[in-house]
Coordinates of all heavy atoms in Angstrom, one line a residue:
M3 N 82.2 -17.1 -86.0 CA 83.6 -17.5 -85.7 C 84.5 -16.5 -86.5 O 84.3 -16.3 -87.6 CB 83.7 -19.0 -86.3 CG 85.0 -19.6 -86.0 SD 84.9 -21.3 -86.3 CE 86.4 -21.6 -87.0
Q4 N 85.5 -16.2 -85.8 CA 86.4 -15.2 -86.3 C 87.8 -15.9 -86.4 O 88.2 -16.5 -85.5 CB 86.5 -14.0 -85.5 CG 87.4 -12.9 -86.0 CD 87.4 -11.7 -85.2 OE1 86.9 -11.6 -84.1 NE2 88.1 -10.6 -85.7
D5 N 88.5 -15.7 -87.6 CA 89.8 -16.4 -87.7 C 91.0 -15.5 -87.3 O 92.1 -15.9 -87.4 CB 89.9 -16.9 -89.2 CG 89.9 -15.9 -90.2 OD1 89.9 -14.7 -89.8 OD2 89.8 -16.2 -91.4
G6 N 90.7 -14.3 -87.1 CA 91.8 -13.3 -86.7 C 92.5 -12.6 -87.9 O 93.3 -11.8 -87.6
V7 N 92.1 -13.0 -89.1 CA 92.8 -12.4 -90.2 C 92.5 -10.9 -90.3 O 93.3 -10.1 -90.5 CB 92.4 -13.1 -91.5 CG1 92.9 -12.4 -92.8 CG2 92.9 -14.6 -91.5
N8 N 91.2 -10.5 -90.2 CA 90.8 -9.2 -90.3 C 91.5 -8.3 -89.2 O 92.0 -7.2 -89.5 CB 89.3 -9.0 -90.2 CG 88.6 -9.5 -91.4 OD1 89.2 -9.5 -92.5 ND2 87.4 -10.0 -91.2
S9 N 91.6 -8.8 -88.0 CA 92.3 -8.0 -87.0 C 93.7 -7.8 -87.2 O 94.3 -6.8 -87.0 CB 92.0 -8.6 -85.6 OG 92.6 -9.9 -85.5
V10 N 94.4 -8.8 -87.8 CA 95.8 -8.7 -88.2 C 96.0 -7.7 -89.3 O 97.0 -6.9 -89.2 CB 96.4 -10.1 -88.5 CG1 97.8 -9.9 -89.1 CG2 96.4 -11.0 -87.4
L11 N 95.1 -7.7 -90.3 CA 95.3 -6.8 -91.4 C 95.1 -5.4 -90.9 O 95.8 -4.4 -91.3 CB 94.3 -7.1 -92.5 CG 94.6 -8.4 -93.3 CD1 93.4 -8.7 -94.3 CD2 95.9 -8.3 -94.0
Q12 N 94.2 -5.2 -90.0 CA 93.9 -3.8 -89.5 C 95.1 -3.3 -88.7 O 95.5 -2.2 -88.8 CB 92.7 -3.8 -88.6 CG 91.4 -3.9 -89.4 CD 90.2 -4.0 -88.6 OE1 90.2 -4.0 -87.4 NE2 89.0 -4.1 -89.3
E13 N 95.7 -4.2 -87.9 CA 96.9 -3.8 -87.1 C 98.1 -3.5 -88.0 O 98.9 -2.6 -87.6 CB 97.3 -4.9 -86.1 CG 96.2 -5.1 -85.0 CD 96.5 -6.2 -84.2 OE1 97.6 -6.8 -84.2 OE2 95.6 -6.6 -83.4
E14 N 98.2 -4.2 -89.1 CA 99.4 -3.9 -89.9 C 99.1 -3.0 -91.2 O 99.9 -3.1 -92.1 CB 99.9 -5.3 -90.4 CG 100.4 -6.2 -89.3 CD 101.0 -7.5 -89.7 OE1 101.2 -7.7 -90.9 OE2 101.2 -8.3 -88.9
A15 N 98.1 -2.3 -91.2 CA 97.7 -1.5 -92.2 C 98.8 -0.4 -92.5 O 99.4 0.1 -91.6 CB 96.4 -0.7 -92.0
L16 N 99.1 -0.2 -93.8 CA 100.1 0.7 -94.1 C 99.7 2.2 -93.8 O 98.5 2.5 -94.1 CB 100.5 0.6 -95.6 CG 101.1 -0.7 -96.0 CD1 101.3 -0.7 -97.5 CD2 102.5 -0.8 -95.4
V17 N 100.5 3.0 -93.4 CA 100.2 4.4 -93.1 C 100.9 5.2 -94.2 O 102.1 5.1 -94.3 CB 100.7 4.8 -91.7 CG1 100.3 6.3 -91.5 CG2 100.0 4.0 -90.7
V18 N 100.2 6.0 -94.9 CA 100.8 6.8 -96.0 C 101.0 8.3 -95.4 O 100.1 8.8 -94.8 CB 99.8 6.9 -97.2 CG1 100.4 7.8 -98.3 CG2 99.5 5.4 -97.7
D19 N 102.2 8.7 -95.7 CA 102.5 10.1 -95.3 C 101.4 11.0 -95.9 O 101.1 11.0 -97.1 CB 103.9 10.5 -95.9 CG 104.3 11.8 -95.6 OD1 103.5 12.7 -95.0 OD2 105.4 12.2 -95.9
P20 N 100.9 11.9 -95.0 CA 99.8 12.8 -95.5 C 100.2 13.7 -96.6 O 99.5 14.0 -97.5 CB 99.4 13.6 -94.2 CG 99.9 12.8 -93.1 CD 101.1 12.0 -93.6
A21 N 101.5 14.1 -96.6 CA 102.0 15.0 -97.8 C 102.0 14.3 -99.1 O 101.6 14.8 -100.1 CB 103.4 15.5 -97.4
L22 N 102.4 12.9 -99.0 CA 102.4 12.1 -100.2 C 101.0 11.9 -100.7 O 100.8 12.0 -101.9 CB 103.1 10.8 -99.9 CG 103.1 9.8 -101.0 CD1 103.8 10.4 -102.3 CD2 103.9 8.5 -100.6
K23 N 100.1 11.6 -99.7 CA 98.7 11.4 -100.1 C 98.1 12.5 -100.8 O 97.5 12.5 -101.8 CB 97.9 10.9 -98.9 CG 96.5 10.6 -99.2 CD 95.8 10.1 -98.0 CE 94.3 9.7 -98.4 NZ 93.6 9.1 -97.3
A24 N 98.4 13.8 -100.2 CA 97.8 15.0 -100.8 C 98.4 15.3 -102.1 O 97.6 15.7 -103.1 CB 98.2 16.1 -99.8
A25 N 99.7 15.0 -102.4 CA 100.3 15.2 -103.7 C 99.7 14.2 -104.7 O 99.5 14.6 -105.9 CB 101.8 15.1 -103.6
L26 N 99.5 13.0 -104.3 CA 98.9 12.0 -105.2 C 97.4 12.4 -105.6 O 97.1 12.2 -106.8 CB 99.0 10.6 -104.6 CG 100.3 10.0 -104.6 CD1 100.3 8.7 -103.8 CD2 100.9 9.8 -106.0
V27 N 96.7 12.8 -104.6 CA 95.3 13.3 -104.9 C 95.4 14.5 -105.8 O 94.5 14.6 -106.8 CB 94.6 13.7 -103.6 CG1 93.4 14.5 -103.8 CG2 94.4 12.4 -102.7
R28 N 96.3 15.4 -105.6 CA 96.4 16.5 -106.5 C 96.8 16.1 -107.9 O 96.2 16.7 -108.9 CB 97.4 17.5 -106.0 CG 97.5 18.8 -106.8 CD 98.4 19.9 -106.1 NE 98.6 20.9 -107.0 CZ 99.8 21.4 -107.3 NH1 100.9 21.0 -106.7 NH2 99.9 22.4 -108.2
L29 N 97.7 15.2 -108.0 CA 98.0 14.6 -109.4 C 96.8 14.1 -110.1 O 96.6 14.4 -111.3 CB 99.1 13.6 -109.2 CG 99.5 13.0 -110.5 CD1 100.2 13.9 -111.5 CD2 100.6 11.8 -110.3
R30 N 96.1 13.3 -109.4 CA 94.8 12.7 -110.0 C 93.9 13.9 -110.5 O 93.3 13.8 -111.6 CB 94.1 11.8 -109.1 CG 94.8 10.4 -109.0 CD 93.9 9.4 -108.3 NE 93.5 9.8 -106.9 CZ 94.3 9.4 -105.9 NH1 95.4 8.7 -106.1 NH2 94.0 9.7 -104.7
A31 N 93.7 14.9 -109.6 CA 92.9 16.0 -109.9 C 93.3 16.7 -111.2 O 92.5 17.0 -112.0 CB 92.7 16.9 -108.7
V32 N 94.6 17.0 -111.2 CA 95.2 17.8 -112.3 C 95.1 17.0 -113.6 O 94.7 17.5 -114.7 CB 96.6 18.3 -112.0 CG1 97.2 18.9 -113.3 CG2 96.6 19.3 -110.9
K33 N 95.4 15.6 -113.5 CA 95.3 14.8 -114.7 C 94.0 14.8 -115.2 O 93.8 14.7 -116.4 CB 95.9 13.4 -114.4 CG 97.4 13.3 -114.3 CD 97.8 12.0 -114.0 CE 97.8 11.1 -115.2 NZ 98.3 9.7 -115.0
S34 N 93.0 14.8 -114.4 CA 91.6 14.7 -114.8 C 91.1 15.9 -115.5 O 90.1 16.0 -116.2 CB 90.7 14.3 -113.7 OG 90.5 15.5 -112.8
Q35 N 91.9 17.1 -115.4 CA 91.5 18.3 -115.9 C 92.2 18.6 -117.3 O 92.1 19.7 -117.8 CB 91.8 19.4 -115.0 CG 91.0 19.4 -113.7 CD 91.5 20.4 -112.7 OE1 92.6 21.0 -112.9 NE2 90.8 20.4 -111.5
R36 N 92.8 17.5 -117.8 CA 93.5 17.7 -119.2 C 92.5 18.2 -120.2 O 91.4 17.6 -120.4 CB 94.1 16.5 -119.6 CG 94.8 16.7 -120.9 CD 95.4 15.4 -121.4 NE 96.2 15.6 -122.6 CZ 97.3 15.0 -123.0 NH1 97.8 14.1 -122.3 NH2 97.9 15.4 -124.2
P37 N 92.8 19.4 -120.8 CA 91.8 20.0 -121.8 C 91.9 19.1 -123.0 O 92.9 18.7 -123.5 CB 92.4 21.3 -122.0 CG 93.8 21.3 -121.6 CD 93.9 20.2 -120.6
T38 N 90.7 19.0 -123.6 CA 90.5 18.3 -124.9 C 90.0 19.2 -125.9 O 89.1 20.0 -125.6 CB 89.5 17.1 -124.7 OG1 88.3 17.5 -124.2 CG2 90.1 16.0 -123.8
G39 N 90.6 19.2 -127.0 CA 90.2 20.2 -128.0 C 90.5 21.6 -127.7 O 89.8 22.5 -128.1
A40 N 91.4 21.8 -126.8 CA 91.6 23.1 -126.3 C 92.7 23.9 -127.1 O 93.3 23.4 -127.9 CB 92.2 23.1 -124.8
E41 N 92.7 25.2 -126.8 CA 93.7 26.0 -127.4 C 95.1 25.6 -126.9 O 95.2 25.1 -125.8 CB 93.6 27.5 -126.9 CG 92.2 28.1 -127.5 CD 92.2 28.2 -129.0 OE1 93.2 28.7 -129.5 OE2 91.2 28.0 -129.6
P42 N 96.2 25.8 -127.7 CA 97.5 25.4 -127.3 C 97.9 25.9 -126.0 O 98.6 25.3 -125.2 CB 98.4 25.8 -128.4 CG 97.5 25.9 -129.7 CD 96.1 26.2 -129.1
R43 N 97.6 27.2 -125.7 CA 97.9 27.8 -124.4 C 97.4 27.1 -123.3 O 98.1 26.9 -122.3 CB 97.5 29.3 -124.5 CG 98.0 30.0 -123.2 CD 97.4 31.4 -123.1 NE 97.7 32.0 -121.8 CZ 98.4 33.1 -121.7 NH1 98.6 33.9 -122.7 NH2 98.5 33.6 -120.5
E44 N 96.1 26.7 -123.4 CA 95.4 25.9 -122.3 C 96.1 24.6 -122.1 O 96.4 24.2 -120.9 CB 94.0 25.7 -122.6 CG 93.2 27.0 -122.6 CD 91.7 26.7 -123.0 OE1 91.4 25.6 -123.6 OE2 90.9 27.6 -122.7
L45 N 96.5 23.9 -123.1 CA 97.2 22.6 -123.0 C 98.6 22.9 -122.4 O 99.0 22.1 -121.5 CB 97.3 21.9 -124.4 CG 97.9 20.6 -124.3 CD1 97.1 19.6 -123.4 CD2 98.0 19.9 -125.7
A46 N 99.3 23.9 -122.8 CA 100.6 24.2 -122.2 C 100.5 24.5 -120.7 O 101.3 24.1 -119.9 CB 101.3 25.4 -123.0
D47 N 99.5 25.2 -120.4 CA 99.3 25.6 -118.9 C 99.0 24.3 -118.1 O 99.5 24.2 -117.0 CB 98.1 26.6 -118.8 CG 98.4 27.9 -119.3 OD1 99.6 28.2 -119.5 OD2 97.4 28.7 -119.4
W48 N 98.3 23.4 -118.7 CA 98.0 22.1 -118.1 C 99.3 21.4 -117.9 O 99.6 20.8 -116.8 CB 97.0 21.3 -118.9 CG 96.7 20.0 -118.3 CD1 95.8 19.7 -117.3 CD2 97.3 18.7 -118.6 NE1 95.8 18.3 -117.0 CE2 96.8 17.7 -117.8 CE3 98.3 18.3 -119.5 CZ2 97.1 16.4 -117.9 CZ3 98.6 17.0 -119.6 CH2 98.0 16.0 -118.8
W49 N 100.2 21.3 -118.9 CA 101.4 20.7 -118.7 C 102.3 21.3 -117.6 O 103.0 20.6 -116.9 CB 102.3 20.6 -120.0 CG 101.8 19.5 -120.9 CD1 101.2 19.6 -122.2 CD2 102.1 18.1 -120.8 NE1 100.9 18.4 -122.7 CE2 101.5 17.4 -121.8 CE3 102.7 17.4 -119.8 CZ2 101.5 16.0 -122.0 CZ3 102.7 16.0 -119.9 CH2 102.1 15.3 -121.0
E50 N 102.3 22.6 -117.5 CA 102.9 23.3 -116.4 C 102.3 22.9 -115.0 O 103.1 22.7 -114.1 CB 102.7 24.8 -116.5 CG 103.6 25.4 -117.6 CD 105.1 25.4 -117.3 OE1 105.5 25.3 -116.1 OE2 105.9 25.5 -118.3
K51 N 101.0 22.7 -114.9 CA 100.4 22.2 -113.7 C 100.9 20.8 -113.4 O 101.2 20.5 -112.2 CB 98.9 22.3 -113.8 CG 98.3 23.7 -113.8 CD 96.8 23.6 -114.0 CE 96.3 25.0 -114.1 NZ 94.9 25.1 -114.3
I52 N 101.0 20.0 -114.4 CA 101.5 18.6 -114.2 C 102.9 18.7 -113.7 O 103.3 18.0 -112.7 CB 101.4 17.8 -115.5 CG1 100.0 17.5 -115.9 CG2 102.2 16.5 -115.3 CD1 99.3 16.5 -114.9
A53 N 103.7 19.5 -114.2 CA 105.1 19.7 -113.8 C 105.2 20.1 -112.3 O 106.0 19.6 -111.5 CB 105.8 20.7 -114.7
D54 N 104.3 21.0 -112.0 CA 104.3 21.5 -110.5 C 103.9 20.4 -109.6 O 104.5 20.2 -108.5 CB 103.3 22.6 -110.4 CG 103.8 23.9 -111.1 OD1 104.9 24.1 -111.4 OD2 102.9 24.8 -111.3
V55 N 103.0 19.6 -110.0 CA 102.5 18.4 -109.1 C 103.7 17.4 -109.0 O 104.0 16.9 -108.0 CB 101.3 17.8 -109.7 CG1 100.9 16.5 -108.9 CG2 100.1 18.7 -109.6
L56 N 104.3 17.1 -110.2 CA 105.5 16.2 -110.1 C 106.6 16.7 -109.2 O 107.2 15.9 -108.5 CB 106.0 15.9 -111.6 CG 105.0 15.1 -112.4 CD1 105.4 15.1 -113.9 CD2 104.9 13.7 -111.9
D57 N 106.9 18.0 -109.3 CA 107.8 18.6 -108.4 C 107.4 18.4 -106.9 O 108.2 18.1 -106.1 CB 108.0 20.1 -108.7 CG 108.9 20.4 -109.8 OD1 109.7 19.5 -110.2 OD2 108.8 21.5 -110.4
S58 N 106.1 18.6 -106.6 CA 105.7 18.4 -105.3 C 105.8 16.9 -104.8 O 106.1 16.6 -103.6 CB 104.3 18.9 -105.0 OG 103.4 18.1 -105.7
L59 N 105.6 16.0 -105.8 CA 105.7 14.6 -105.4 C 107.2 14.3 -105.3 O 107.6 13.6 -104.3 CB 105.3 13.7 -106.6 CG 103.8 13.4 -106.6 CD1 103.3 12.8 -107.9 CD2 103.3 12.6 -105.5
A60 N 108.1 14.9 -106.1 CA 109.6 14.6 -105.9 C 110.0 15.1 -104.5 O 111.0 14.4 -104.0 CB 110.4 15.4 -107.0
A61 N 109.4 16.0 -103.9 CA 109.8 16.6 -102.7 C 109.4 15.6 -101.5 O 109.9 15.7 -100.4 CB 109.2 17.9 -102.4
V62 N 108.4 14.8 -101.7 CA 107.9 13.9 -100.6 C 108.1 12.4 -100.8 O 107.8 11.6 -99.9 CB 106.4 14.2 -100.4 CG1 106.1 15.6 -99.9 CG2 105.5 13.8 -101.6
F63 N 108.6 12.0 -102.0 CA 108.8 10.6 -102.2 C 109.9 10.1 -101.2 O 110.8 10.8 -101.0 CB 109.3 10.3 -103.6 CG 108.2 10.1 -104.6 CD1 108.3 10.5 -105.9 CD2 107.0 9.4 -104.2 CE1 107.2 10.3 -106.8 CE2 106.0 9.2 -105.1 CZ 106.1 9.7 -106.4
L64 N 109.8 8.9 -100.7 CA 110.8 8.3 -99.8 C 112.0 7.9 -100.4 O 113.1 8.1 -99.8 CB 110.1 7.1 -99.1 CG 110.9 6.4 -98.0 CD1 111.2 7.3 -96.9 CD2 110.1 5.2 -97.5
F65 N 112.0 7.3 -101.6 CA 113.1 6.8 -102.2 C 113.7 7.7 -103.2 O 113.0 8.4 -104.0 CB 112.8 5.4 -102.9 CG 112.4 4.5 -101.9 CD1 111.0 4.0 -101.9 CD2 113.2 3.8 -101.0 CE1 110.5 3.1 -101.0 CE2 112.7 2.9 -100.1 CZ 111.4 2.5 -100.1
E66 N 115.1 7.8 -103.2 CA 115.8 8.7 -104.1 C 115.4 8.5 -105.6 O 115.3 9.5 -106.4 CB 117.3 8.6 -103.9 CG 118.2 9.5 -104.7 CD 118.1 10.9 -104.4 OE1 117.6 11.3 -103.3 OE2 118.4 11.8 -105.3
D67 N 115.4 7.2 -106.0 CA 115.1 6.9 -107.4 C 113.8 7.5 -107.8 O 113.6 8.1 -108.9 CB 115.0 5.4 -107.6 CG 116.4 4.7 -107.7 OD1 117.4 5.5 -107.8 OD2 116.5 3.5 -107.7
D68 N 112.8 7.4 -107.0 CA 111.4 8.0 -107.2 C 111.5 9.5 -107.3 O 110.9 10.1 -108.2 CB 110.4 7.5 -106.2 CG 110.1 6.1 -106.1 OD1 110.3 5.5 -107.2 OD2 109.8 5.6 -105.1
R69 N 112.3 10.1 -106.4 CA 112.4 11.6 -106.4 C 113.1 12.0 -107.7 O 112.7 13.0 -108.4 CB 113.3 12.1 -105.3 CG 112.5 11.9 -103.9 CD 113.2 12.6 -102.8 NE 114.6 12.1 -102.5 CZ 114.8 11.2 -101.6 NH1 113.8 10.6 -100.9 NH2 116.0 10.8 -101.4
V70 N 114.1 11.3 -108.2 CA 114.8 11.7 -109.4 C 113.9 11.5 -110.6 O 113.9 12.4 -111.5 CB 116.1 10.8 -109.6 CG1 116.7 10.9 -110.9 CG2 117.1 11.2 -108.5
K71 N 113.1 10.4 -110.6 CA 112.2 10.1 -111.8 C 111.1 11.2 -111.8 O 110.8 11.7 -112.9 CB 111.6 8.8 -111.6 CG 112.5 7.6 -112.0 CD 111.8 6.3 -111.7 CE 112.9 5.1 -111.9 NZ 112.2 3.8 -111.6
A72 N 110.6 11.5 -110.7 CA 109.6 12.6 -110.6 C 110.1 14.0 -111.1 O 109.4 14.7 -111.9 CB 109.0 12.7 -109.3
A73 N 111.3 14.3 -110.7 CA 111.9 15.5 -111.1 C 112.2 15.5 -112.6 O 111.9 16.5 -113.3 CB 113.2 15.8 -110.3
A74 N 112.6 14.4 -113.2 CA 112.8 14.3 -114.6 C 111.6 14.4 -115.3 O 111.5 15.1 -116.4 CB 113.6 13.0 -114.9
E75 N 110.5 13.8 -114.9 CA 109.2 13.9 -115.5 C 108.7 15.3 -115.5 O 108.0 15.8 -116.4 CB 108.2 12.9 -114.9 CG 108.5 11.5 -115.2 CD 107.6 10.5 -114.6 OE1 106.5 10.9 -114.2 OE2 107.9 9.3 -114.6
A76 N 108.9 16.0 -114.4 CA 108.5 17.4 -114.3 C 109.2 18.3 -115.3 O 108.6 19.1 -116.0 CB 108.8 17.9 -112.9
E77 N 110.5 18.0 -115.5 CA 111.3 18.7 -116.5 C 110.8 18.4 -117.9 O 110.7 19.3 -118.7 CB 112.7 18.3 -116.3 CG 113.7 19.1 -117.3 CD 115.1 18.7 -117.1 OE1 115.5 18.4 -115.9 OE2 115.9 18.6 -118.1
A78 N 110.4 17.2 -118.2 CA 109.9 16.8 -119.4 C 108.5 17.4 -119.7 O 108.3 17.9 -120.8 CB 109.8 15.3 -119.6
A79 N 107.7 17.6 -118.7 CA 106.4 18.2 -118.8 C 106.6 19.7 -119.1 O 105.8 20.2 -120.0 CB 105.6 18.0 -117.5
R80 N 107.5 20.3 -118.5 CA 107.8 21.7 -118.8 C 108.4 21.9 -120.2 O 107.9 22.9 -120.9 CB 108.8 22.3 -117.8 CG 108.1 22.6 -116.5 CD 109.0 23.5 -115.6 NE 108.2 23.7 -114.4 CZ 108.2 22.9 -113.3 NH1 109.0 21.8 -113.3 NH2 107.5 23.2 -112.2
A81 N 109.1 21.0 -120.7 CA 109.6 21.0 -122.0 C 108.5 20.9 -123.1 O 108.4 21.5 -124.1 CB 110.7 19.9 -122.3
R82 N 107.6 20.0 -122.7 CA 106.4 19.8 -123.5 C 105.6 21.0 -123.6 O 105.1 21.4 -124.7 CB 105.6 18.6 -123.0 CG 104.3 18.3 -123.7 CD 104.7 17.5 -125.0 NE 103.5 17.3 -125.9 CZ 102.8 16.2 -125.9 NH1 103.2 15.2 -125.2 NH2 101.8 16.0 -126.8
A83 N 105.4 21.7 -122.5 CA 104.7 23.0 -122.5 C 105.3 24.0 -123.3 O 104.7 24.7 -124.1 CB 104.5 23.5 -121.0
D84 N 106.7 24.1 -123.2 CA 107.4 25.0 -124.0 C 107.3 24.7 -125.6 O 107.2 25.7 -126.4 CB 108.9 25.0 -123.6 CG 109.1 25.7 -122.3 OD1 108.3 26.4 -121.8 OD2 110.3 25.4 -121.8
E85 N 107.2 23.4 -125.9 CA 107.1 23.0 -127.3 C 105.7 23.5 -127.8 O 105.6 23.9 -129.0 CB 107.2 21.5 -127.5 CG 108.5 21.0 -127.3 CD 108.5 19.4 -127.3 OE1 107.5 18.8 -127.6 OE2 109.5 18.8 -127.0
I86 N 104.7 23.4 -127.0 CA 103.4 23.7 -127.4 C 103.2 25.2 -127.6 O 102.6 25.7 -128.5 CB 102.4 23.2 -126.4 CG1 102.3 21.7 -126.4 CG2 101.0 23.8 -126.6 CD1 101.6 21.0 -125.3
R87 N 103.9 26.0 -126.8 CA 103.8 27.4 -126.8 C 104.6 27.9 -128.1 O 104.4 28.8 -128.7 CB 104.4 28.1 -125.6 CG 103.5 27.9 -124.4 CD 104.1 28.7 -123.2 NE 103.1 28.6 -122.1 CZ 103.3 27.9 -121.0 NH1 104.5 27.4 -120.8 NH2 102.4 27.9 -120.1

């Protein structure tokens, strides 16, 4: 016996923009590569990579507030990299 719930959920599944999905996957990948016990230069380089990913997210977010926040976080990540250097 089927109640129809599964078929309704499948029909109304959210579709994520492929560019947004790719940027989020990249963010997870870069975050997972954070160096531990590394030289300051390696950590600064990692913060630069995080900033680049956040910039790419800012370019594909749908809402302006999200774009502004991602851009601000990218700027903060670059400032962190500069502090470390």
Side-chain angles (χ1 to χ4, degrees):
M3 184 166 146
Q4 185 177 6
D5 61 7
V7 172
N8 289 333
S9 61
V10 170
L11 289 176
Q12 290 175 357
E13 290 174 11
E14 295 181 10
L16 295 175
V17 177
V18 177
D19 178 353
L22 175 58
K23 185 175 181 177
L26 291 170
V27 167
R28 185 170 170 233
L29 176 63
R30 280 193 299 271
V32 171
K33 284 180 75 173
S34 73
Q35 296 170 357
R36 182 179 182 149
T38 55
E41 295 293 319
R43 181 182 173 131
E44 291 175 344
L45 186 57
D47 289 346
W48 178 81
W49 278 108
E50 285 289 339
K51 289 178 186 176
I52 289 291
D54 291 343
V55 173
L56 290 167
D57 282 336
S58 68
L59 278 169
V62 295
F63 275 143
L64 180 61
F65 299 108
E66 179 68 20
D67 283 350
D68 294 333
R69 291 191 297 268
V70 169
K71 287 177 187 175
E75 289 179 18
E77 185 176 322
R80 285 195 178 87
R82 181 76 187 262
D84 289 341
E85 288 173 11
I86 293 169
R87 288 188 177 111

